[in-house]
């Protein structure tokens, strides 16, 4: 386990925002049954981990506004530990985790009302634990039963996600270090998958998407990663045009592109990398033309990623390059859609680029943190969406600060359709890297796997 002072520091910063008479309730994730005696693989709750560094299931943190931290955790139980594994137990928890006191989770319902008594505000995450409000309600009922004896019952309930999301948005040095290592492992896995594809095809083997998926998993675990940060996408040929495709059994043909979107989770932090490569190791002309266009759009987005710029700037830079490129290569017909400005204004690029360029990255692959600039939430403007005709309310996009981490992931997806040049049919390309914002630009932590088309061909030879 890491130095407990990291978690103590975060708890102190959070406690300072709860109010002197505030108290926060933070459960870890529930265990989920898969079937009969099998559970889904347990993954702790990100908020809970952020404040404790504790990965056992069945645990709760109570944090009071004065900074006092109380843990409820699974009690020592030899029989359960023989079946399910080691438990820290409440007796050892204070020293091991640097918290003030700990009790068995079996005492949660009996002790919680006492902890909530005489507080003014109860904070808990509104967005992540279905049914938690009912439990809080039950504990508050117990407090109310004691008001005749002079107890005060909290009158206010507030969403803990707000302050925690803001804290999580800017990654400290420890988090950045873990994220760099996660991205390095994932980069190696992408290289291995590319090389396996070319090697098996050279050997005349029947290559399937799952072969490449297996290679990714192998390298993730070899690097010490606990599990993939999300379901890996390994999409051969036309499957690349399905945005949430999963690695399946489809054959990988030498002339096709393969799109792999896969990243490992290391010590609770995600990486998220996409590479698109020619299965046999050599791009065709049309594939390379679109590939270089997506890469140029990513270059523009990377150049727009720096402190002081806004979260939307990389997306807008991407769209500008893609829109011009779609006109240049003939995916869009200027006679029909007009100039590049018209393409952007009318979102005519949307049939080929239908997702955003970035999302926050951290403990969750789509990490927490507002995409709106908090100092400007009141500045609302309206515009009519040219495709849906809906009125969209816009608020100024988030200003980037050093330590924020985001993905930069432009793409082009060409489904066959009227007027769509046949040479581009069924080509799906995305290039995704992970960027730490710095004062002067950004650090691309996922470039252990190349993006340049020539470099990809070279490593597959
Ligand atoms: N792999 C999920 C994403 O790229 O957002
Ligand atoms: Mn991805
Ligand atoms: Mn992503």
């Amino acid at each position: 386990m890491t130095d407990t002072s990291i978690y103590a520091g975060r708890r102190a910063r959070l406690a300072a925002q709860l109010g002197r008479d505030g108290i926060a309730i933070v459960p870890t994730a529930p265990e989920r049954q898969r079937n009969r005696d099998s559970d889904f693989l347990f993954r702790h709750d990100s908020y809970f981990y952020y404040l404790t560094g504790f990965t056992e299931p069945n645990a709760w943190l109570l944090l009071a506004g004065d900074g006092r931290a109380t843990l409820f955790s699974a009690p020592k139980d030899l029989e359960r530990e023989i079946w399910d594994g080691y438990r820290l137990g409440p007796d050892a928890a204070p020293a091991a985790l640097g918290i003030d006191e700990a009790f068995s989770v079996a005492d949660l319902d009996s002790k919680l009302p006492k902890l909530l008594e005489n507080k003014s505000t109860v904070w808990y995450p509104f967005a992540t634990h279905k049914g938690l409000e009912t439990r809080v309600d039950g504990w508050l009922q117990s407090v109310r039963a004691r008001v005749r004896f002079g107890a005060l019952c909290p009158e206010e309930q507030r969403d803990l996600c707000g302050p925690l999301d803001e804290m999580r948005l800017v990654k400290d040095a420890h988090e950045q270090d873990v994220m760099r290592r996660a991205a390095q492992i994932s980069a190696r896995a992408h290289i291995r998958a590319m090389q396996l594809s070319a090697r098996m095809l050279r050997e005349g083997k029947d290559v399937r998407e799952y072969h490449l998926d297996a290679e990714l998993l192998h390298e993730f675990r070899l690097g010490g990663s606990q599990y993939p940060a999300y379901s890996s996408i390994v999409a051969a040929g036309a499957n690349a045009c399905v945005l949430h495709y999963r690695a399946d059994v489809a054959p990988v043909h030498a002339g096709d592109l393969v799109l792999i979107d896969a990243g490992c989770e290391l010590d609770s932090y995600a990486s998220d990398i996409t590479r698109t490569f020619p299965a046999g190791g050599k791009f065709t002309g049309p594939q390379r033309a679109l590939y270089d266009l997506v890469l140029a759009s990513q270059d523009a987005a990377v150049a727009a990623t720096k402190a002081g710029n806004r979260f939307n700037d990389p997306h807008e830079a991407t769209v500008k390059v893609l829109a011009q490129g779609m006109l240049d290569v003939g995916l869009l017909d200027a006679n029909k859609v007009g100039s590049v400005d018209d393409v952007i204004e009318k979102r005519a690029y949307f049939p080929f680029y239908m997702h955003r360029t970035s999302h926050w990255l951290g403990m969750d692959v789509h990490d927490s943190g507002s995409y709106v600039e908090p100092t400007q939430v009141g500045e609302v403007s309206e515009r009519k969406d040219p495709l849906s005709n809906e009125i969209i309310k816009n608020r100024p996009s988030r200003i980037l600060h050093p330590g924020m981490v985001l993905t930069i992931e432009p793409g082009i997806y060409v489904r066959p359709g009227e007027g769509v040049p046949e040479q581009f049919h069924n080509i799906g390309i995305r290039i995704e890297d992970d960027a730490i914002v710095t004062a002067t630009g950004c650090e691309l932590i996922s470039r252990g796997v190349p993006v340049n088309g020539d470099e990809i061909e070279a490593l597959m030879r």
Side-chain angles (χ1 to χ4, degrees), residues 230 261 272 359 366 409 432:
Y230 54 93
D261 182 346
D272 184 6
H359 54 78
H366 289 188
E409 48 177 310
E432 175 173 29

Side-chain angles (χ1 to χ4, degrees), residues 39-210:
D39 285 343
F40 282 104
L41 185 66
F42 177 73
R43 164 52 158 81
H44 49 267
D45 176 79
S46 295
Y47 293 127
F48 179 84
Y49 179 83
Y50 186 70
L51 296 171
T52 61
F54 192 45
T55 56
E56 281 186 25
N58 217 355
W60 297 64
L61 173 72
L62 270 285
L63 180 66
D66 63 4
R68 189 168 178 81
T70 306
L71 186 87
F72 291 86
S73 71
K76 296 298 282 180
D77 179 333
L78 183 57
E79 191 188 339
R80 285 321 321 161
E81 290 183 56
I82 286 170
W83 285 90
D84 301 330
Y86 172 80
R87 293 176 177 183
L88 179 61
D91 290 345
L97 302 174
I99 44 140
D100 296 297
E101 60 181 347
F103 302 105
S104 164
V105 73
D107 299 333
L108 189 69
D109 283 325
S110 62
K111 290 206 184 291
L112 246 284
K114 201 76 197 151
L115 283 166
L116 301 184
E117 196 173 296
N118 298 321
K119 302 291 184 197
S120 59
T121 308
V122 186
W123 297 77
Y124 58 91
F126 286 4
T128 49
H129 291 74
K130 220 172 156 58
L132 180 56
E133 65 283 1
T134 313
R135 293 206 65 181
V136 172
D137 227 37
W139 296 323
L140 291 179
Q141 277 302 38
S142 302
V143 180
R144 283 185 200 106
R146 295 174 44 77
V147 292
R148 274 178 292 133
F149 306 101
L152 294 178
C153 183
E155 290 182 347
E156 192 181 31
Q157 298 184 25
R158 293 190 62 179
D159 187 3
L160 190 64
C161 297
L164 274 176
D165 288 351
E166 285 305 296
M167 287 174 65
R168 283 173 53 181
L169 181 53
V170 177
K171 277 69 178 172
D172 62 28
H174 162 74
E175 295 179 290
Q176 290 181 28
D177 174 58
V178 179
M179 293 188 75
R180 277 189 198 95
R181 286 188 287 120
Q184 284 159 7
I185 295 167
S186 300
R188 286 202 298 274
H190 276 264
I191 289 176
R192 275 187 72 135
M194 288 178 192
Q195 293 179 329
L196 180 77
S197 173
R199 190 166 65 241
M200 286 181 72
L201 285 168
R202 275 198 299 271
E203 291 165 356
K205 298 216 168 104
D206 174 19
V207 187
R208 301 290 172 144
E209 291 165 341
Y210 58 76

Side-chain angles (χ1 to χ4, degrees), residues 170 389 404:
V170 177
N389 281 328
M404 292 179 175

